[in-house]
Amino acid sequence: IWFEGLIRGDLAQYDRARALMRQALDLQPLNRDWRLVYISRLMTWGCYDEAHDVAIVGESYFPKYSTFHGLARMSLEASSVDKLEKR
């Protein structure tokens, strides 16, 4: 599921990629590497709010891993800028 999601993303099938990657994370929620890649992909695809949500969950699963805190902050800032630009 995970690898198909990666491939779909590379093929610009973003909705399907997101669904597959989310499904894979639901099956393996403690897979830190997948969560980091998923957040990165979401940010690349402009899905800042979803990236923020995934990063917040990552913070709760991995409280000592500060990368999730940084990604949560970065995705929140990107979401704010994106919303301002769309006005």
Side-chain angles (χ1 to χ4, degrees):
I1 295 170
W2 174 256
F3 296 106
E4 182 182 349
L6 290 175
I7 292 166
R8 297 280 183 172
D10 290 342
L11 295 172
Q13 298 174 5
Y14 304 127
D15 290 338
R16 183 71 179 136
R18 286 169 55 202
L20 289 166
M21 295 170 89
R22 234 186 346 258
Q23 185 180 1
L25 274 179
D26 287 346
L27 294 171
Q28 293 190 35
L30 297 178
N31 191 318
R32 186 178 67 189
D33 293 335
W34 285 6
R35 189 167 298 278
L36 291 169
V37 169
Y38 187 43
I39 294 167
S40 174
R41 294 284 180 113
L42 289 169
M43 295 284 289
T44 300
W45 300 333
C47 303
Y48 307 117
D49 291 336
E50 187 175 352
H52 182 258
D53 294 344
V54 175
I56 293 295
V57 172
E59 278 186 297
S60 68
Y61 285 140
F62 308 101
K64 295 181 180 178
Y65 195 70
S66 63
T67 302
F68 287 106
H69 177 73
L71 289 170
R73 189 182 72 246
M74 185 172 36
S75 58
L76 184 62
E77 290 171 4
S79 178
S80 297
V81 169
D82 186 55
K83 288 174 185 172
L84 284 172
E85 290 177 351
K86 289 181 179 176
R87 283 186 167 178

